[in-house]
Amino acid sequence: EAQVTQNPRYLITVTGKKLTVTCSQNMNHEYMSWYRQDPGLGLRQIYYSMNVEVTDKGDVPEGYKVSRKEKRNFPLILESPSPNQTSLYFCASSPELGANVLTFGAGSRLTVL
Amino acid sequence: SQQGEEDPQALSIQEGENATMNCSYKTSINNLQWYRQNSGRGLVHLILIRSNEREKHSGRLRVTLDTSKKSSSLLITASRAADTASYFCAPYTGGFKTIFGAGTRLFVKA
């Protein structure tokens, strides 16, 4: 089944403890992206990647890192999480070079205490 | 990239009724897409309408696009309880960024 898989789906952690949210797609998509969703703010783009080793900042990149070493994987790294990063995170991919016709993962709910 | 703004923010209807949601945007687009999000889940792509199209159908969904008014509408006919979700429009200008608005929350009462 064609899909975007995120892990973990739920995570409670403490301030400053590094964590990684993995994202993998099995559709050979070029484009991948991370979003966070907060009540009343819609979805905000964190980082995106147009291809392997090519990444760029979205609208809210502070406090996050990403890497794209392989086409299928696009992990989101929080080096030193803070409570304001408590959010619902989504990974998405597109068969095109841009942010068009996105396939989303099921989401990762992160709580930072 | 640009953000679409959905209206109304929330909509409550009875099962069997039609639901209409609107989207406005600011600049020229390549296409406009609609997505659905069930509570706490990932967005699901519903339909794409190109800038040279005026209307498109998919099952119980009907989307219109008026580029002169920079607006689009999504009509769900004969709504069902399972249609309860948030709906987002995404105007696409060909870039690498997609900006989603706060969406329209639709509640269909059984």
Side-chain angles (χ1 to χ4, degrees):
Chain A
E1 180 189 351
Q3 59 186 354
V4 176
T5 303
Q6 296 179 226
N7 280 297
R9 292 289 315 284
Y10 302 91
L11 180 63
I12 300 174
T13 189
V14 296
T15 299
K17 186 175 181 181
K18 180 180 178 180
L19 69 92
T20 299
V21 186
T22 64
C23 173
S24 181
Q25 50 94 3
N26 62 0
M27 297 167 282
N28 201 37
H29 284 177
E30 302 283 344
Y31 177 92
M32 298 184 75
S33 184
W34 276 102
Y35 298 86
R36 61 177 288 175
Q37 185 176 32
D38 302 289
L41 296 178
L43 279 86
R44 294 180 291 169
Q45 192 169 29
I46 304 170
Y47 269 96
Y48 60 91
S49 170
M50 298 81 87
N51 210 329
V52 174
E53 302 291 2
V54 183
T55 64
D56 205 350
K57 297 176 181 178
D59 296 313
V60 289
E62 295 78 20
Y64 305 94
K65 285 176 58 177
V66 292
S67 67
R68 188 94 180 270
K69 294 187 171 62
E70 306 164 280
K71 196 172 186 178
R72 63 183 292 127
N73 295 323
F74 190 45
L76 180 70
I77 303 156
L78 286 73
E79 293 271 2
S80 183
S82 62
N84 64 12
Q85 292 179 297
T86 293
S87 188
L88 180 57
Y89 291 87
F90 292 101
C91 181
S93 69
S94 170
E96 304 187 12
L97 287 176
N100 201 28
V101 191
L102 295 166
T103 299
F104 280 81
S108 297
R109 188 170 291 280
L110 172 65
T111 301
V112 183
L113 302 175
Chain B
S1 59
Q2 66 173 305
Q3 178 174 331
E5 295 193 9
E6 297 89 355
D7 174 71
Q9 289 187 331
L11 181 60
S12 182
I13 59 174
Q14 291 291 139
E15 205 166 30
E17 294 181 339
N18 295 342
T20 299
M21 289 157 265
N22 303 297
C23 170
S24 60
Y25 57 92
K26 290 188 168 57
T27 64
S28 298
I29 58 172
N30 292 12
N31 64 58
L32 187 140
Q33 299 158 57
W34 285 91
Y35 290 81
R36 183 188 74 231
Q37 182 183 33
N38 292 92
S39 181
R41 305 298 298 248
L43 278 70
V44 174
H45 185 268
L46 291 177
I47 194 165
L48 179 153
I49 185 165
R50 302 186 194 286
S51 60
N52 61 353
E53 296 176 313
R54 293 295 166 258
E55 188 170 311
K56 198 159 184 182
H57 296 256
S58 176
R60 294 184 296 112
L61 304 181
R62 173 180 166 243
V63 169
T64 61
L65 180 65
D66 187 333
T67 53
S68 65
K69 295 181 179 177
K70 294 185 171 56
S71 67
S72 174
S73 67
L74 171 67
L75 168 68
I76 303 174
T77 59
S79 61
R80 306 166 181 167
D83 295 325
T84 294
S86 291
Y87 292 82
F88 298 85
C89 69
Y92 181 63
T93 58
F96 295 109
K97 294 185 177 184
T98 304
I99 304 175
F100 291 90
T104 292
R105 284 178 290 121
L106 172 65
F107 182 63
V108 181
K109 293 177 280 189

